[in-house]
Each structure stands twice: as structure tokens, then as C-alpha cells.
């Protein structure tokens, strides 16, 4: 497999879908994390830390059943934070957990898009390091299989590891 890209404006990293019939492996096309104002997070939530990732169209490896479609998945998760926690200087070393929606429910705060939007569940996002406005993350989650939405296949395990560009959109 190719090595992840890094440096310059290209985000370095891998987006892997561990499916029942093999792994689909992608480079990052874009990867951002940003702080925004919370609009409906409850009394203790003042900000939302969003993680957004789009895979490169040119996959490193695809599974046979989806190869002809040429899909490039995207993933996003929003984590509600108190204003005291919403500080970029305090993110390294933290792990954020977002369970996602319960089975049969939809979520707009935790999604994977492949052929259609699908809730991401059991999200664990660990901020490993920082270099200026780039943070290295490790993100794991699960979702319904990306080609069989009927529950007939085991869940797809999502594994994301790479650099995310940070911005504070609250200003």
C-alpha cells in the first residue's frame, strides 16, 4: 500500500472501511476539525467540535462488490463541549466518545456517507498530537455495511488515522 500523504496542503492519513469481504482503503481528500457555536446542546454545551473527513476519489484499495461504483466516503461527527473545554490548546491527549444514534434512529451529529447517509456509532476520537493548526487523530466507529443496508452483513468497522486542519469558527 501507498504511504499517506502529508505536509503542504494535502492532509496525510488513511480512511479504512473494514468490511465483511475485505478492506477499502482511502487517502484523505480533506480533513477538518472546527469549533462552532452550539445551537441546541443543552445547558452545559456552549460549543460543538466537528470532525469532517472526505476520502480521495482515487482509492488505494476497494472491495470487489463496490469497486465499479467508485465511491469516496465521507464521515462527520459533532461533539458538544462546555466553553471551558473548547480550547485548541487543551485538545491533545483527549479522547471524545460519541455513541451515535440508537439502532433504527437517524443522527445528524454522527454520519458516514457512501451510497447514502448512515449513522456512525461507537465513535472514539483521540487527539494524538498537534503541529500548528494540524492535529493528528485516531478515530474509530462502526456503521451498517456500506453496500448492504439490510442488516444481512456484519457492521463495517471504520478506522481513521491522520492529520486534520483545525479552525475556530466561533469568532
Amino acid at each position: 500500500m501507498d504511504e499517506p500523504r502529508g505536509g503542504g496542503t494535502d492532509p496525510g492519513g488513511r480512511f479504512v472501511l473494514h468490511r465483511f469481504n475485505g478492506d477499502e482503503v482511502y487517502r484523505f481528500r480533506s480533513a477538518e476539525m472546527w469549533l462552532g457555536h452550539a445551537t441546541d446542546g443543552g445547558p452545559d454545551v456552549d460549543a460543538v467540535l466537528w470532525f469532517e473527513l472526505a476520502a480521495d476519489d482515487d482509492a488505494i484499495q476497494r472491495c470487489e462488490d463496490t469497486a465499479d461504483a467508485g465511491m469516496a466516503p465521507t464521515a462527520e461527527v459533532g461533539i458538544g463541549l462546555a466553553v471551558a473545554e473548547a480550547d485548541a490548546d487543551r485538545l491533545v491527549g483527549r479522547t471524545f466518545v460519541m455513541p451515535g444514534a440508537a439502532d433504527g434512529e437517524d443522527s445528524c451529529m454522527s454520519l458516514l456517507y457512501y451510497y447514502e447517509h448512515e449513522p456512525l456509532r461507537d465513535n472514539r476520537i483521540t487527539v494524538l498530537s498537534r503541529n500548528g493548526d494540524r492535529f493528528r487523530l485516531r478515530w474509530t466507529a462502526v456503521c451498517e455495511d456500506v453496500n448492504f443496508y439490510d442488516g444481512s452483513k456484519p457492521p463495517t468497522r471504520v478506522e481513521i488515522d491522520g492529520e486534520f486542519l483545525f479552525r475556530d469558527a466561533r469568532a
Side-chain angles (χ1 to χ4, degrees):
M1 283 188 215
D2 297 339
E3 287 301 313
R5 293 184 284 188
T9 59
D10 287 335
R14 290 199 186 277
F15 186 166
V16 182
L17 302 175
H18 298 285
R19 298 186 56 221
F20 72 97
N21 60 344
D23 292 345
E24 295 198 13
V25 182
Y26 302 87
R27 291 178 189 89
F28 292 3
R29 180 179 69 223
S30 64
E32 289 188 337
M33 57 187 280
W34 54 277
L35 276 168
H37 292 285
T39 57
D40 190 20
D44 296 328
V45 177
D46 301 303
V48 177
L49 180 59
W50 280 99
F51 301 89
E52 296 179 348
L53 173 66
D56 193 89
D57 294 332
D58 186 20
I60 296 170
Q61 177 179 311
R62 296 184 189 275
C63 291
E64 186 176 325
D65 66 327
T66 56
D68 291 341
M71 297 305 293
T74 64
E76 62 184 60
V77 168
I79 307 288
L81 299 174
V83 74
E85 297 177 297
D87 180 354
D89 292 331
R90 299 178 63 198
L91 296 176
V92 174
R94 299 216 28 214
T95 297
F96 299 96
V97 176
M98 166 54 126
D103 283 342
E105 292 181 14
D106 235 352
S107 169
C108 63
M109 295 292 286
S110 180
L111 294 170
L112 179 110
Y113 180 80
Y114 196 92
Y115 291 120
E116 58 186 69
H117 284 97
E118 187 68 28
L120 272 175
R121 295 185 173 84
D122 301 328
N123 294 276
R124 292 188 66 79
I125 302 170
T126 302
V127 182
L128 301 172
S129 63
R130 179 181 185 181
N131 184 5
D133 61 356
R134 292 189 182 269
F135 287 78
R136 184 153 197 98
L137 307 178
R138 172 133 173 87
W139 175 1
T140 60
V142 296
C143 64
E144 193 77 41
D145 184 75
V146 297
N147 196 29
F148 295 89
Y149 294 100
D150 61 1
S152 66
K153 304 296 183 204
T156 294
R157 290 183 303 110
V158 178
E159 185 179 346
I160 297 165
D161 189 337
E163 295 178 355
F164 282 63
L165 181 63
F166 176 81
R167 65 185 170 87
D168 191 335
R170 297 174 299 166

